[in-house]
Amino acid sequence: MTHEQTPLTIEDRLDRIATDLAYVAERQRRMEELVDEMMPIAKQAMGVAAERLAAMETQGYFRFGRAAMTVADRVVERYDQEELDAFAANVSTLLDTVRALTQPEVLALASEAGEVVQNRDRLEPLGVFGMVRAAGDQDVQRGMATMMELLRHVGRAADRMANSPRPASKATPAAPKAAPRTVARPAAEPAPVPAKRAIPGTGSSGKFAKPGASCKPTAPGAAAATLDGVGYTNDGFLSDPTQWTRELAEAMAATSGIQLEEARWKLIGFARQEWQETGVSPNIRRLTAGTGMATRDIYALFTKAPGKTIARLAGIPKPAGCI
Amino acid sequence: MKNLVILGAGTAGTMMAARLSRELAPDGWRITLVDRDDDHVYQPGLLFVPFGMYAADDIVRRRRRYCPAGVTLDLAGLDRVEPDTRTVRLADGRSLSYDVLIVATGTEVDPAATEGLTGHGWRQTASDFYTLDGAKALAKALDGFTGGRLLLNVVEMPIKCPVAPLEFLFLADAYFTERKIRDRVEIVYATPLDGAFTKPRASQALGGMLTERKIAVEADFAAAKVDGEARKLVGFDGRELDYDLLVTIPLHKGSDAIARSGMGDTAGFVPTHKHTLQTLAHPEVFALGDCTNLPASKAGAVAHFQSEVLVENVLRFIAQRELLPAFDGHANCFIETGHGKAMLIDFNYDTEPLPGRFPLPGVGPFTLLEESYVNHWGKLGFRWVYWNLLLRGEDLPLDHRMAMAGKWS
């Protein structure tokens, strides 16, 4: 570092120029190599991209896109910044309303109402007696109750709008309770609007209770089944190796028709120890090297897939690849 | 003047040399990189050689070209390490003493460990593709292959790049399809594991990939011996599999020099701390890459993520500070699936490969556990990244710790 200050000899200068030139040449070579490597890839990429885009063109995505732009243009021209902000602030309320209005029950109601209106030429004007008579009709009574409830909501909403300076954009997001959904609620009477937090697995033991961002890594062998408090994977391996006991190994062996005697215990014991030390379930070669037993003898003791069977009885993870 | 010796100028060793040469004061530390030859093989490229996608020359470069300035590259070869006296004995009789030793000797295939494998038909009707010679032999064999049974066998786990056998199967299917002889070729995969996919999410997402391609699987198959004349692979459980061409992933072992030094376990892998990468036997000896006994994948990506942790820990060791237990087993790799597409997986010690997007959540551009063209281009483009960024010890815009962001758990 200090040699920056000391006067440089010609050799020093030449050395430095040579180093700099070598550096520049190396950068240049790397860039050329990059271009060479990337060209064939870029060619392939262009080919695939062109194919994909052509397919999208034929399907009409681009025509649709251009049309959508026209729609967007009209929206932008017609509404000013404040109105757009208000729209953005209330977009979830709007969507809730759309969802509520598109519930099957509501759609059925709307279509029935539509039919009534279409057939209005067949309806007779109603006199006072007719009104009294109609009031005795159960359907009309239910309809009246619904209308009254609706009116009550409309009244409350009107009140709130009158009392708040910027009703659309500010009142709604700030109000914490069910109140902002006034428009949606009464219309969806038969099927209550699914409030946001009620959607996933209502009340079920936290199966869907994902606390947003916290993504814990999955356990190596997530339990697929639990028996007597012990978790097993789909393949019948213990999901938690610390739950292993000799009795458990004996019980597992018995269900597979295997009697655990000294030689088999030796293999199981070694496998467990190996896993505890290295985190790897031993393969056949490790088992032979570690126990001094011949591969053939191990196959005689555990005739089918001994490595896997021994790991299962030892309560350690299944020997696995990376996928 | 103190000495830091790195054994092995492969992916892991070269990266460590590049990073440490920038971190250690040149007037305080002498760094020596030891290897036995000057050929650095771009190992991810070996997969493409049998199918004629890369020529052998495309994937080999001189090691000296990647030896950073200020580091001495010694190509005499390693005889043994004497850890008690902190001495490295070279094959030509010289020796080097060290204050810090980094073992990056990798793993080797050992076809001779399987009875009969290197006998009749070796490198003709039976070959590996984990060595340059093997990959070249397979290129020749595949070129002349007009029909019959191609049998791919993994002798025993662990192996280097654990997805390579699957990639070979996918590429073979695509290769024979392109040559219009797929209907005359039977492809069989004999694995010591209980299936081609052993992790729940991967099996769920990819389970159908082999059946779709009409690739048969012989699961739980432990190869006992090969009869090269009868072209038969025999299992310890008595199963016999015929073949016309045997593609073998031979047994893997650690370097013989490590075994001679008494620093390896029964397979020759160096017992290493899972999170700090310090060897368990000697505090001044560290290990990374394929040579360790860690339950992480033996793959270049792992060595890369390890190198970031290990540089920090070597500096901490020199400064007599506590080591960081920062390595989490993070690995990611492209999986070629043929027809110009590939998949990508990203995982660590605790988290199996999950579907999603990588590295940017929702955006990608790479798709996890799902085939796409972009992944394949990523794999092809990686060769430049390897030679020009990775080996030079440049930082990539990826964290060495695995992130859950972008993964669908």
Side-chain angles (χ1 to χ4, degrees), chain B residues 103-155:
Chain B
V103 184
T105 42
T107 173
E108 285 166 23
V109 293
D110 187 10
T114 304
E115 190 188 331
L117 183 54
T118 52
H120 189 272
W122 178 237
R123 291 278 150 85
Q124 278 138 30
T125 49
S127 181
D128 70 294
F129 62 94
Y130 275 56
T131 57
L132 205 54
D133 285 344
K136 283 196 267 189
L138 274 179
K140 209 172 149 198
L142 282 174
D143 197 40
F145 201 77
T146 51
R149 182 189 264 199
L150 183 144
L151 173 62
L152 188 143
N153 173 236
V154 174
V155 170

Side-chain angles (χ1 to χ4, degrees), chain A residues 100-113:
Chain A
L101 287 174
T102 50
Q103 296 297 308
E105 297 84 354
V106 180
L107 289 177
L109 181 68
S111 101
E112 275 173 32

Side-chain angles (χ1 to χ4, degrees), chain B residues 223-357:
Chain B
K225 63 175 180 193
V226 172
D227 182 341
E229 269 171 87
R231 294 207 298 267
K232 240 187 236 304
L233 175 67
V234 185
F236 277 109
D237 59 0
R239 266 182 285 175
E240 293 191 353
L241 304 174
D242 293 326
Y243 63 80
D244 294 291
L245 178 61
L246 172 65
V247 179
T248 176
I249 320 293
L251 181 79
H252 279 54
K253 58 172 187 177
S255 143
D256 289 336
I258 292 301
R260 280 197 295 272
S261 313
M263 294 169 77
D265 62 14
T266 52
F269 297 122
V270 184
T272 306
H273 189 280
K274 230 175 134 168
H275 301 297
T276 65
L277 307 176
Q278 190 174 38
T279 60
L280 298 183
H282 306 281
E284 70 285 358
V285 183
F286 297 83
L288 83 165
D290 297 348
C291 72
T292 73
N293 74 332
L294 298 183
S297 285
K298 296 196 182 300
V302 173
H304 168 73
F305 294 131
Q306 285 175 336
S307 74
E308 289 186 23
V309 174
L310 189 51
V311 167
E312 174 67 26
N313 276 348
V314 167
L315 296 177
R316 279 170 172 260
F317 176 79
I318 290 169
Q320 296 182 323
R321 289 165 61 206
E322 205 182 329
L323 304 187
L324 283 183
F327 182 62
D328 67 353
H330 189 192
N332 52 34
C333 59
F334 291 108
I335 306 173
E336 281 292 301
T337 52
H339 306 289
K341 291 191 189 180
M343 287 190 295
L344 183 69
I345 52 173
D346 189 61
F347 57 100
N348 69 8
Y349 285 142
D350 302 317
T351 308
E352 61 172 313
L354 297 170
R357 294 285 180 275

